[in-house]
Amino acid sequence: MHGRLWRTGLVVVLLLVWIIPGHAHAADSNWRKVVDKIDNTLQQALETYDKGDVAEAKTQVNNAYYGPYESGQMEKAVKYNISSKRNAIIEEEFRLIRKSMTAGAPKAEVKRQMSKLVDMLQEDAATLSKSDSSPFGIFFSSLVIILREGIEAILVIAAIIAYLIKSGNEDKVKIIYQSTLVALGASVLTAIGLKYLFNISGASQENLEGITMLLAVAVLFSMSFWLIGKADAKRWKNYIEGKIQTSITTGNTLTLWLAAFLAVYREGAETVLFYQALVSGQEKVGVSMIGLGILVGALALIVIFMIIRYGSLRIPLKPFFIGTSILMYYLAFVFAGEAITELQAGYMVSATTISGFPIISFFGIYPTVESLIAQGLLLLATVIGLVWYAATSRKGVGKPEGKHMLG
């Protein structure tokens, strides 16, 4: 199984290398030209706004974001070569311009906001140009992308596999590997479809990613509490005895399969799109360095997976379950904030900005009421769940979780 996984992973890496170079477009290699396009579109929006057509002006601001900034690959380049926080700030500036137009702000105020945004983008363009300038810089950017995206997925997969082994269900590990391989293939096909086959708008892409992340939140959150419920030795003994009497079926492992699939699928599709951004306009040497970064990163992820996969088996049962539960909850919390920001970018969810509120990308915290409410609800559900768990534990309830996730 490990040999097939290794070979399949290598095939996917080679497929990514093949897909990306064939569709590079040199027009986007100069980030300053991308910023100039954004500036021109914003100036058109300002003129439209001055004429009194607020709706059309806001549409043109959206065009500047979804066109040159997003489709021109600058959004992804900023996110990975500078920081996710910087990208969130840029997105917020676009929102503030639209908000000012809606409020009927004076033309001078809207113009000032646009100038501020363009100045920030020019700074980012200069930074991106420097990061693109050397073969090592290109290699490093490529390596960081696959490591950053892959590690999150690996943490989820390795934790699930370790649980199956600890629970005496090693024969079900193959289901998780199958889910991972299906997700890898689906990621590549989805990215290709979004980029080249389907005429899907930038807003629709944002909404699709947001919905996928919300599904991941639900699955990871449920798994987090399920694992906490098994940390107690007596509860675990009851669970294992139940499994001796009733074997686990493939159908009952659906939740675990889905968790692995969503973890890989969500990261995989985005990874392909990020590489498309990185390769834009690169010469042959640059493309080779990107390919090398992908290969080295893929091999590093395999090593990381093996370390986590086998190292976790040596951790005592209770610390392992509690630690894994915390990890799952952390990812659910981060995804909740990021999912709402994606849906806000796609206009599926409104965005009410909190002025002066910090952006903490490590925890997926962004300065909008809606994203904070989503994470607040998750925290509230956690508090209620923990109180309920503590209450049932004191009463000596053996199986407070009701139906098992696996049977």
Side-chain angles (χ1 to χ4, degrees):
M1 186 67 207
H2 293 299
R4 290 204 303 272
L5 183 64
W6 178 284
R7 289 193 297 272
T8 305
L10 182 59
V11 169
V12 172
V13 168
L14 294 175
L15 181 59
L16 291 177
V17 176
W18 174 76
I19 290 170
I20 294 170
H23 297 281
H25 38 95
D28 290 334
S29 62
N30 190 328
W31 296 115
R32 293 190 182 278
K33 289 183 179 179
V34 176
V35 177
D36 288 341
K37 292 178 182 178
I38 295 173
D39 190 16
N40 290 336
T41 306
L42 290 176
Q43 292 306 315
Q44 293 174 10
L46 184 63
E47 292 177 6
T48 304
Y49 180 71
D50 190 41
K51 294 176 182 177
D53 192 345
V54 176
E56 178 61 23
K58 289 167 63 178
T59 297
Q60 290 172 331
V61 173
N62 291 340
N63 292 340
Y65 175 81
Y66 290 121
Y69 187 66
E70 186 177 66
S71 298
Q73 311 294 359
M74 191 170 183
E75 177 196 30
K76 294 178 177 63
V78 168
K79 192 172 184 179
Y80 267 88
N81 289 282
I82 301 178
S83 70
S84 297
K85 180 178 180 178
R86 178 64 171 186
N87 180 63
I89 292 172
I90 294 295
E91 290 181 340
E92 179 62 19
E93 292 299 323
F94 275 102
R95 275 200 294 267
L96 289 175
I97 291 172
R98 295 193 300 267
K99 184 177 179 180
S100 294
M101 288 180 168
T102 302
K107 177 184 176 182
E109 173 62 19
V110 176
K111 183 177 181 179
R112 184 194 64 78
Q113 290 178 316
M114 289 181 175
S115 296
K116 177 185 176 183
L117 172 58
V118 172
D119 288 344
M120 294 171 67
L121 291 172
Q122 291 288 9
E123 292 174 7
D124 292 348
T127 301
L128 293 174
S129 295
K130 290 178 182 178
S131 66
D132 291 344
S133 60
S134 69
F136 176 77
I138 297 170
F139 165 79
F140 184 73
S141 295
S142 177
L143 180 63
V144 168
I145 288 174
I146 192 168
L147 287 178
R148 182 173 174 179
E149 293 294 313
I151 286 175
E152 282 187 4
I154 279 178
L155 289 173
V156 174
I157 294 169
I160 292 173
I161 290 175
Y163 155 71
L164 287 173
I165 294 174
K166 281 179 176 288
S167 64
N169 295 291
E170 189 170 359
D171 60 316
K172 302 302 175 184
V173 168
K174 62 184 179 181
I175 294 174
I176 305 305
Y177 286 128
Q178 291 169 358
S179 171
T180 300
L181 297 180
V182 171
L184 285 172
S187 297
V188 174
L189 293 176
T190 299
I192 294 174
L194 292 177
K195 186 71 178 178
Y196 305 112
L197 302 181
F198 305 114
N199 185 22
I200 184 170
S201 68
S204 297
Q205 290 187 42
E206 302 279 8
N207 289 331
L208 177 61
E209 183 169 352
I211 291 171
T212 302
M213 292 174 74
L214 284 179
L215 290 174
V217 169
V219 174
L220 291 171
F221 182 74
S222 65
M223 283 187 63
S224 175
F225 261 94
W226 189 86
L227 287 167
I228 282 289
K230 295 296 180 293
D232 179 77
K234 183 177 180 181
R235 293 170 188 267
W236 181 247
K237 180 176 180 292
N238 290 337
Y239 173 72
I240 291 299
E241 289 175 350
K243 290 301 102 183
I244 292 174
Q245 299 173 5
T246 306
S247 62
I248 299 175
T249 64
T250 301
N252 287 333
T253 59
L254 176 62
T255 302
L256 294 180
W257 189 97
L258 187 60
F261 176 85
L262 288 173
V264 176
Y265 177 72
R266 182 252 170 186
E267 305 294 346
E270 190 173 38
T271 299
V272 178
L273 295 174
F274 274 124
Y275 277 117
Q276 289 171 343
L278 182 61
V279 82
S280 295
Q282 294 288 351
E283 301 296 333
K284 185 176 181 179
V285 174
V287 171
S288 299
M289 295 307 293
I290 291 172
L292 180 61
I294 294 174
L295 183 59
V296 172
L299 294 175
L301 287 176
I302 292 174
V303 173
I304 292 170
F305 171 76
M306 292 301 179
I307 292 173
I308 298 174
R309 157 79 165 77
Y310 293 103
S312 61
L313 296 179
R314 296 179 173 85
I315 302 174
L317 191 66
K318 187 169 184 176
F320 167 75
F321 272 24
I322 292 176
T324 303
S325 176
I326 292 173
L327 168 65
M328 298 292 184
Y329 180 77
Y330 162 74
L331 292 175
F333 186 82
V334 172
F335 287 176
E338 292 182 348
I340 298 301
T341 58
E342 294 291 345
L343 295 175
Q344 288 171 333
Y347 299 106
M348 185 173 285
V349 174
S350 62
T352 307
T353 304
I354 303 175
S355 180
F357 196 91
I359 295 174
I360 309 175
S361 55
F362 182 78
F363 292 107
I365 294 175
Y366 298 96
T368 66
V369 172
E370 292 80 5
S371 63
L372 293 174
I373 286 177
Q375 291 178 316
L377 290 174
L378 201 61
L379 286 173
L380 179 61
T382 303
V383 172
I384 293 173
L386 290 175
V387 169
W388 177 75
Y389 171 75
T392 56
S393 296
R394 284 195 299 271
K395 293 178 181 179
V397 178
K399 296 180 181 180
E401 69 274 19
K403 276 194 173 183
H404 293 302
M405 183 194 307
L406 298 182

